[in-house]
């Protein structure tokens, strides 16, 4: 599971829906794996405003990853100084170092094994082979 | 032929043997791929998006979502997250090393993502399974309500979902669509090859707000096979007036009102107002 996904995932238990402590889920005893992929600049630009940056920093810290900047980059930060385009010419945008770092953290850094723990109810979701188990026993639905 | 939905719960039906059989059948691969492309055309995504795949199985749709436009995926490559209740199906997806993230989860228990997460959602041949959990603890109505409620919240404003499913009968089709509308979606029902044994039902859902594109009328404009629709956020429509509800006169008046509001209505014909199968 990508860290991107962790930035959108909440506890599934009904009673936790309204509690701010149910997001983000906290990784525990985690084995990370880097899975390389092609950078998708339009996707990064699309998703950037939807990220919860403070929570992403928290998670990165909990995982012992390099510290993320205090404030979120903007879309402009993701694009290398746009080359002088000729009149009416379409120029492919070049991802900046910031974009490549963000891609590394969000899309290439994955949780392979371990668990995700809710800060509100302490429920533990197991992750095996990168797949979190979100099946709940009936009484918690 | 009996429906698998009537024999076993999905996690037991899609065991290792069935999951492998399902994924290696070239006939199934072709049909699921065609339906995924159909659903994608209804989503009209213009750029790489974050997509939820409900009942993703072995990732047949996901593999298409991960493709670039050159390989036929509009707006791609998309990033997707798949949910499935069958560990065996997900096992096959893992073996194929699909690009999306996979969750072992029951859509009938809800959608565990924060509000406004996804640009779009897709579900191919899965949600009819939500209709047959009749246990002492749970009911199809409860499962459908948790699923559509969770899906609605997890989509961004102006987002869309397309769910192709195999309703058992008209009652079930209606129950599913009503549950979506109750959750707040604008909804349209599209039938391909209606009345044949290859009939395919697509529930097209929109979340209001955002750009005009989120309006169901934008999605179904120009399609003559969409039967009924509700505007996003328009829960039960207000009824009443002096004309007998359901009469031809009432329908014509309604059509006129809807046309004025810019909704898509089917052209009136000599059949207008006759009894026909209820769609919603
Ligand atoms: C016919 S398969 C379709 C798989 C995939 N969408 C495709 O087109 O190849 C139906 C899938 O729905 C899944 N499913 C059934 N009920 C479900 C539920 N309540 N929650 C999540 N997935 C479910 C099954 O496990 C199965 O993988
Ligand atoms: Zn919780």
């Amino acid at each position: 599971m990508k860290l991107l996904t962790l930035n959108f995932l909440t506890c599934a238990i009904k009673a936790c829906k309204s509690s701010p402590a149910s997001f983000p889920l906290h990784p525990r005893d985690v084995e990370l794996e880097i899975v390389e992929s092609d950078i998708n600049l339009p996707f990064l630009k699309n998703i950037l405003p939807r990220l919860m940056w403070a929570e992403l920093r928290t998670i990165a810290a909990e995982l012992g990853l390099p510290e993320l900047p205090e404030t979120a980059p903007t879309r402009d930060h993701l694009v290398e100084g746009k080359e002088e385009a000729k009149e009416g010419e379409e120029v492919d945008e070049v991802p900046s170092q910031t974009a490549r770092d963000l891609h590394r953290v969000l899309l290439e850094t994955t949780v392979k094994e371990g668990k995700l723990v809710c800060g509100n109810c302490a429920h533990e979701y197991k992750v095996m082979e990168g797949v979190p188990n979100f099946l709940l026993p009936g009484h918690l639905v | 032929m009996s429906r698998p939905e009537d024999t076993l719960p999905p996690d037991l039906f899609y065991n290792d043997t069935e999951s492998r059989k399902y994924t290696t059948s070239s006939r199934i691969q072709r049909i699921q791929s065609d339906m995924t492309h159909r659903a994608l055309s209804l989503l009209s995504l213009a750029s790489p998006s974050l997509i939820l795949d409900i009942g993703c199985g072995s990732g047949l749709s996901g593999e298409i979502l991960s493709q670039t436009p050159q390989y036929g995926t509009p707006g791609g490559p998309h990033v997707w997250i798949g949910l499935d209740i069958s560990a065996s199906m997900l096992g096959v997806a893992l073996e194929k090393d699909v690009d999306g993230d996979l969750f072992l989860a029951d859509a009938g228990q809800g959608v565990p993502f924060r509000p406004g997460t996804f640009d779009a959602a897709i579900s191919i041949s899965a949600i009819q399974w939500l209709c047959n959990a009749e246990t002492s603890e749970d009911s199809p109505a409860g499962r459908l309500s948790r699923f559509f409620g969770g899906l609605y919240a997890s989509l961004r404003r102006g987002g869309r979902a397309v769910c192709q499913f195999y309703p058992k009968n008209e009652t079930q089709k209606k129950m599913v669509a009503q549950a979506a509308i109750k959750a707040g979606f604008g909804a349209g029902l599209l039938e391909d090859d209606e009345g044949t044994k290859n009939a395919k039902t697509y529930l097209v859902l929109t979340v209001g707000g955002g750009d005009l594109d989120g309006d169901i009328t934008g999605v179904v404009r120009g399609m003559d096979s969409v039967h009924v629709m509700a505007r996003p956020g328009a829960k039960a429509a207000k009824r009443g007036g002096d004309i007998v509800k359901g009469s031809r006169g009432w329908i014509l008046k309604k059509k006129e009102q809807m046309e004025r509001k810019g909704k898509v209505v089917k052209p009136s014909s000599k059949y207008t107002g006759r009894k026909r199968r209820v769609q919603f």
Side-chain angles (χ1 to χ4, degrees), chain B residues 16 41 46 48 59 116 135 144 161 186 191 198 208 241 244 249 262 267:
Chain B
D16 287 353
S41 74
T135 66
L144 286 169
E191 308 270 353
N198 294 324
V244 180

Side-chain angles (χ1 to χ4, degrees), chain B residues 78-144:
Chain B
H78 304 291
V79 176
W80 57 275
I81 296 175
L83 308 184
D84 205 282
I85 200 170
S86 156
S88 302
M89 279 295 222
L90 294 176
V92 179
L94 280 180
E95 275 172 30
K96 289 197 292 178
D97 212 8
V98 295
D99 291 322
D101 278 348
L102 305 169
F103 280 77
L104 183 60
D106 177 355
Q109 296 187 331
V111 179
F113 294 91
R114 58 180 171 81
T117 293
F118 299 102
D119 294 295
I122 187 173
S123 179
I124 305 294
S125 315
I127 63 170
Q128 71 277 357
W129 282 101
L130 293 174
C131 298
N132 62 308
E134 198 60 270
T135 66
S136 54
E137 289 191 311
D138 209 352
S139 66
R143 295 167 65 78
L144 286 169

